[in-house]
Each structure stands twice: as structure tokens, then as C-alpha cells.
Amino acid sequence: MRTHFCGLIDESMIGQSVTLCGWADVARDLGGLCFIDLRDHEGIVQVVAEPDSAAEGNAAVIATAAQVGYEDCLRITGTVRKRQAVNNRVPTGQVEVVATHIEVLNKAEPLPFHAHENPGEDIRLKYRYLDLRTPEMQRKMRTRTKLVQALRRWLDARGFQDIETPILTKATPEGARDFLVPARMHPGEFYALPQSPQLFKQILMVAGFDRYYQIARCFRDEALRADRQLEFTQLDMEFAWVEESDVQDTAEAMIRDAFRDVMQVELAQPFPRITWAEAMRRFGSDKPDLRIEMEFTDIAELVKGCEFKVFTDWANAEDGRVIALRAPGAASLSRKQIDDIGAHAAKYGAKGLAWMKIEDPAQGREGVNSPIAKFLDDATLAAILQATGAQGGDLVLFGAAAYNTASEFMGAVRLKLGKDLGLVREGWAPLWVTDFPMFEWDDEAQRYVALHHPFTAPAVDDVAELQANAKTAVSRGYDMVLNGNEIGGGSIRIHRPAMQSAVFELLGIDAGEAQAKFGFLLDALRYGAPPHGGIAFGIDRIAALMAGTESIRDVIAFPKTTGAQCPMTGAPSPIPDAQLAEVHVSVRPKPAKVDEPAAE
């Protein structure tokens, strides 16, 4: 139907006849002289229908052009010529197409929103086909395509095998809820959609495939947010006969080349490596944004004997922490703005947020404006100013709580201040975070849970040593972080059945349950499983970063809302009883709402 794409018309084609197909982005009738900005997936070119054209049937061309409306689907034939009024805002701005034939392939009804507007997300997702038609969404989705192509080329060239693993599999919970699929031929039994190909890729290493990858669809029945969907795509990789550095060096080279290929960006070489403990100590996050230069100062030793009870209680507690965070130039913030920062910290567990505005540190107490200064003697105050490096015009914020809680809410404060104060530098800041804790304690369940997943190898190779030191055990896990986003996570896996059984036991999974859920893995490990490890990258997250958007929904063709719904198709939806009966499923009615008794 067409000979060329709209966005690829250039000066080399002047004098040529071309046939284009696309949508009317803009249509203007200037009283017999008509202009149409015709758009396809490659871009926009100006088409003109003018009365002085020598083309046969010119009056019909002008008449048709005059009736063209917004987003009409068109096929236009014409001759390329030099444009008099050059438009440097578009790549085709040096030329235009003089129409000799215009065919309306499909007339568009009035649209629910204009492509140049910014409608709410519900409207965008209900009419996703119109949203995706816009140049900005076309650009974002193309960025994703280029990313996947670059990753595949890189892996194929280095001997990785692309192997598909099952979508219908066994329910083996790894921290999130499974999506369950009733098995019609096995009444009362269910498949699960995979949260990841984790166990299958480990078994592929046992099977001798050495280097595996897959662009895998994964499913997790969990709450949605800007960087999380019920179904998502990850680049899954696994290596046999490796240690941490082998996986990390390979993955880092791949990501560096992908950014060079897709974005012409050079990432750092090598990426910095810091441990989980260092990341929490310096930044209060296991995915720190290194573009923000602010770091924590621990001041527990300085305030153990002060009169401010919140400080002294946590400074003297075994698991307590007292943090100071200097925000350069932030003393100009109003009390309301500081209160807003405190409210933000409260979302992450803060009970309060103390502060100091530094006017002139050389004047000591007289140069400080703070509601807590009266509780600090001169020596303590001077020590805090020196430790934080506070300068005139700075704001110092303080957090005191249990170590992990204080780290988390002050980490959130650091990010907010960085964004609000414009302290996030431009560019890309990748790093590796390593040596994660093996377990964390779940107070509600009164047992350990795996920080990554239960197949991550501990740093120690002795079962008895792991069992004796489970609380402080370190794993062989690692994450790749970019601009404060975890884009990839992996580990060296457990390859000996005795260690895997010991980890299950520490997680409260007894031998019977382990055999029922993971027996096929334990069996495989008994037959000469090699040391192996891997990593998985979030395609959606990386594509969103490359496309310059904060939401992965902008790089997924048909995402769900935060309410886990698809406004376009109406999913999820009820299923007829007859169809449910075929898969031996009945739906329990929703519990009726109990009316509260009227107040007396």
C-alpha cells in the first residue's frame, strides 16, 4: 500500500513520487490550500494539497483534503519537494509532499482525548490503542524493542542458549503469591504460573547446558505500583562452573554494551561494588542512588550522654541507631516544608524527625536554630557540627530508632531531599550491592525468611556453621543497581542437597514439606550438580529508565492499573458457571458487608 514511511522522507527524495500511509496528526484548510501532517510509526511529514497543482484531478484532491479530520486513516500519493518554510523541529522539516491523490481509508470518530493532551491514566489505558499511537509512546516502546534486540544479540554472540521453560508449572512459593490455574484433567489440582524460571534454570545447569538465557514472562499476585506489574518480563540468565565475579563481570559487560548500543551512553567501567552493610550504613537503602552525594553520619557515640531522651535511648540500645544527614543549602526550608519531610519519613516508620538549621557553625550554639539544641551541651553540639561537616545555610536532619528502621526512613528522607532540592546530578550511576544477609526474622511468623530466595547459597560452606550463625549469616547474593533502581538481582545457588535441606529447615520448611514442594530440585542436586549461579534483569525497569519515564506502564503495551485491572478489556471478569464446572471450580460468594450498629 505504501512505498515509504512518513518519518523517513528527506531531501534525497526531492522530485520522487511516494505513497504514504498514516494518520492525520494535524489537518488545516486555509481556503483551498490544505495542509496535513501525516504520521506513522517513523514520524511526521507535511503534505500539501494546493490549487495550482498541475496534477489531474486536483480539485478532487483538495476537496478530500478539506474534509480530513483528526486521526483519520489516510493513504496519500504525491511528489516530494523542498519546503519553503523549513521546520527544524522535525527530521522531515526540510521537505514536504505535494498530494496528487488522497484516499480516506477509515474516518475516525471524535476521539475521547487528543494525542497532545495529558489525560488521566484510566483514560489512557481504556483507549490504549490511541495512547500507543502517540509519538511519545511509540518512542518509548521502540526503546524497549531496541533493548531486547541488543541483549539477544549480545548473548547469542557469546554462546548462551535461549531455552524456554514451562508457563504451567508447580506451585513453589518464593515470597509472593502464585497465580493458580485449575487443571481440568486433574480435578482438584492446579498449575501455577511461574514467578520466575528459577528452579528450571538451575536444573538446566544440572543438565549440562552451561550458559542459558530466556526473555521470560513472569507472574506474581502482589500489590501493584509504578515499578511493579502482575505480569512482567525479565532477562533470565544462569551459568555453570562460576563464582560471583564471573556472573557479575559478564552481566556488567552486557548492560554496558546495551546502553552503548541503544542510547550511545558510556557507563562506568568497572561498576562500583559495595556490600549491603555499607549501603545501609551510608545511604539507608540496598539500592542507593549514587547521583545524590548526601551520606549518613552516625552520631550515636556523640549523644549517648545527652539530655535528649530519644537520642540517648537509641544510642544506648543494642540494635539502635542515631543518624545525622546534612542537606546542603536547605536551611531556607520553612517549618512547614520540614514538617512535610517528617510526614514522609513517618510513612517508613519514623516517630519523629529532629532538625537543625545551621546559620554560622563558627558561632557554635548562637549559630544554630534548632528545637533540640537546648538538650545538647556545647561540646556535643560542636562535635555534631564537626562530624557532619555542616556549613552555613545547611539543614541537618536526625533520625533515631532501631538500626534497620532508622536506616530505612532516613534513606527515604535522603531521596526526597535530593529530588526536592535539585541535588540529583545528571547521568547514570550504576553499582553492585553484594553480601546480602542470608535471612531476615519475621516477627509475625516467628521464623526466618529468605532475603532473596531459598536457593541462594550462604557465604559459608559448612552446614553446622550456618545453623549456628543463622542470624548473622551472609549470602552470596548480589544486585545491580542503576540510579536508585534495582535492575537485576542474582546469586550463586546452593548446589549440594545437604546445604539446601539445611536452608529449608532454617526457613521452617520441614523435610516432608520440602520434598512435596521442591523434591524434584533436591533429587536433581543429588546427581552431580555443578556449582552455578545467575542473575535476572527487569526488562520493564531498564526500558523505563532508558525511555526516561518513572512508570514501567509506559513501556508495557497493555499494562494493568494499580487496581490490577485492564480498563480496555475489562479483565478480570466473571466466568460462567458452566465453564467453571468444566475445571471443577466453584466460586464462593463475596461475604456480605455487616452493617455497623447505629450510634446511640
Side-chain angles (χ1 to χ4, degrees):
M1 290 187 72
R2 61 187 173 193
T3 61
H4 296 79
F5 294 114
C6 298
L8 301 183
I9 304 297
D10 60 28
E11 291 176 283
S12 69
M13 301 174 189
I14 290 175
Q16 292 185 27
S17 177
V18 297
T19 298
L20 310 173
C21 292
W23 290 273
D25 193 73
V26 174
R28 305 181 300 277
D29 180 5
L30 305 182
L33 178 64
C34 299
F35 293 92
I36 300 169
D37 287 350
L38 191 67
R39 185 191 74 248
D40 64 14
H41 72 285
E42 289 286 359
I44 291 176
V45 68
Q46 178 171 284
V47 175
V48 58
E50 54 189 20
D52 56 350
S53 171
E56 184 178 348
N58 178 245
V61 171
I62 295 174
T64 302
Q67 298 301 312
V68 168
Y70 177 56
E71 290 300 296
D72 284 354
C73 185
L74 308 175
R75 181 172 183 257
I76 297 177
T77 298
T79 303
V80 181
R81 75 177 180 192
K82 180 73 175 177
R83 184 168 171 172
Q84 292 183 345
V86 172
N87 180 2
N88 291 320
R89 292 175 297 178
V90 293
T92 61
Q94 301 289 328
V95 294
E96 61 187 8
V97 176
V98 182
T100 57
H101 178 77
I102 299 177
E103 179 182 359
V104 179
L105 299 173
N106 202 345
K107 190 76 176 172
E109 295 184 3
L111 270 63
F113 66 90
H114 196 285
H116 302 288
E117 296 174 347
N118 186 22
E121 186 174 66
D122 285 349
I123 295 295
R124 289 179 59 200
L125 294 182
K126 180 174 177 60
Y127 300 97
R128 187 61 164 179
Y129 38 86
L130 298 180
D131 187 44
L132 289 171
R133 197 187 289 177
T134 62
E136 181 62 12
M137 286 301 298
Q138 290 277 321
R139 179 191 68 81
K140 291 174 180 176
M141 293 302 298
R142 180 165 293 194
T143 297
R144 181 193 178 103
T145 298
K146 290 178 179 178
L147 168 63
V148 173
Q149 290 173 336
L151 295 172
R152 283 194 182 278
R153 283 194 301 267
W154 199 94
L155 292 162
D156 291 342
R158 288 159 180 81
F160 285 81
Q161 294 191 65
D162 181 0
I163 303 176
E164 293 182 346
T165 55
I167 293 295
L168 295 176
T169 184
K170 183 181 178 68
T172 54
E174 298 169 17
R177 295 184 183 89
D178 288 320
F179 277 103
L180 302 177
V181 180
R184 180 182 60 83
M185 293 181 288
H186 300 274
E189 298 183 355
F190 294 81
Y191 299 104
L193 302 184
Q195 295 185 32
S196 83
Q198 179 64 43
L199 301 185
F200 287 105
K201 68 179 180 179
Q202 288 189 240
I203 289 173
L204 285 171
M205 297 304 101
V206 180
F209 284 97
D210 201 87
R211 284 188 164 198
Y212 141 95
Y213 87 93
Q214 181 182 187
I215 306 294
R217 295 292 283 171
C218 304
F219 308 85
R220 294 181 185 174
D221 188 2
E222 57 186 359
L224 277 68
R225 59 190 188 202
D227 65 346
R228 182 179 292 170
Q229 283 279 299
L230 300 177
E231 52 183 313
F232 57 95
T233 305
Q234 68 183 36
L235 167 61
D236 207 55
M237 303 169 65
E238 198 77 4
F239 311 66
W241 319 102
V242 291
E243 295 182 343
E244 289 92 330
S245 60
D246 300 309
V247 179
Q248 292 167 8
D249 291 347
T250 301
E252 181 178 317
M254 178 188 69
I255 292 298
R256 189 182 296 109
D257 284 359
F259 269 79
R260 183 183 300 118
D261 190 357
V262 176
M263 300 192 67
Q264 295 74 54
V265 164
E266 292 292 336
L267 297 181
Q269 186 174 357
F271 293 179
R273 282 169 166 77
I274 64 174
T275 65
W276 175 88
E278 182 182 357
M280 298 304 291
R281 176 177 59 80
R282 294 170 59 189
F283 309 109
S285 172
D286 59 4
K287 50 185 179 197
D289 191 342
L290 298 187
R291 297 174 302 166
I292 303 171
E293 295 184 357
M294 292 184 293
E295 295 191 22
F296 294 165
T297 302
D298 282 292
I299 61 167
E301 291 300 320
L302 304 180
V303 298
K304 279 187 173 181
C306 77
E307 296 181 10
F308 190 43
K309 190 174 186 300
V310 175
F311 282 4
T312 55
D313 285 352
W314 287 111
N316 289 285
E318 182 180 355
D319 67 337
R321 189 176 192 191
V322 185
I323 297 169
L325 178 64
R326 180 177 73 91
S332 59
L333 293 180
S334 68
R335 180 61 184 268
K336 181 182 183 306
Q337 289 173 308
I338 294 174
D339 288 344
D340 288 343
I341 296 169
H344 182 71
K347 298 176 184 177
Y348 298 86
K351 302 297 184 184
L353 207 61
W355 54 270
M356 284 184 185
K357 291 186 176 184
I358 313 303
E359 297 167 358
D360 183 359
Q363 295 184 28
R365 183 178 303 278
E366 300 304 318
V368 171
N369 175 11
S370 170
I372 68 167
K374 61 187 177 183
F375 298 109
L376 307 174
D377 60 38
D378 290 346
T380 301
L381 184 59
I384 292 173
L385 295 177
Q386 182 178 11
T388 59
Q391 304 294 316
D394 293 347
L395 174 71
V396 181
L397 294 165
F398 302 91
Y403 191 96
N404 288 342
T405 302
S407 301
E408 183 175 0
F409 72 69
M410 289 301 288
V413 167
R414 174 180 175 270
L415 290 177
K416 179 174 175 57
L417 283 171
K419 293 177 181 178
D420 291 352
L421 300 176
L423 298 177
V424 183
R425 62 177 172 80
E426 293 294 323
W428 301 93
L431 76 151
W432 287 101
V433 178
T434 66
D435 301 329
F436 282 79
M438 186 73 183
F439 308 109
E440 57 184 350
W441 183 255
D442 186 328
D443 283 326
E444 184 175 345
Q446 286 295 295
R447 66 178 181 86
Y448 287 114
V449 295
L451 195 66
H452 269 73
H453 54 59
F455 319 109
T456 297
V460 298
D461 201 33
D462 182 76
V463 169
E465 186 177 352
L466 175 66
Q467 291 171 330
N469 301 285
K471 183 177 180 180
T472 57
V474 172
S475 79
R476 299 178 71 180
Y478 38 80
D479 285 354
M480 185 185 288
V481 176
L482 182 62
N483 291 4
N485 298 271
E486 177 210 330
I487 62 171
S491 67
I492 298 300
R493 322 302 188 189
I494 299 169
H495 71 282
R496 294 193 179 101
M499 179 62 79
Q500 185 64 78
S501 294
V503 169
F504 285 152
E505 185 178 346
L506 285 167
L507 294 172
I509 302 172
D510 62 30
E513 184 183 1
Q515 187 62 37
K517 288 183 176 179
F518 308 108
F520 61 98
L521 173 67
L522 293 170
D523 290 345
L525 296 182
R526 294 187 179 97
Y527 295 104
H532 59 283
I535 191 167
F537 287 96
I539 295 293
D540 310 307
R541 290 185 185 179
I542 299 174
L545 286 169
M546 286 181 164
T549 179
E550 293 186 355
S551 174
I552 63 172
R553 290 190 288 274
D554 284 342
V555 291
I556 298 173
F558 301 104
K560 305 293 188 292
T561 66
T562 53
Q565 295 174 306
C566 175
M568 186 182 75
T569 64
S573 59
I575 299 296
D577 290 342
Q579 190 174 351
L580 289 174
E582 289 182 347
V583 292
H584 316 285
V585 169
S586 61
V587 177
R588 297 170 61 183
K590 293 181 180 179
K593 292 184 178 179
V594 179
D595 293 331
E596 295 183 1
E600 296 180 0

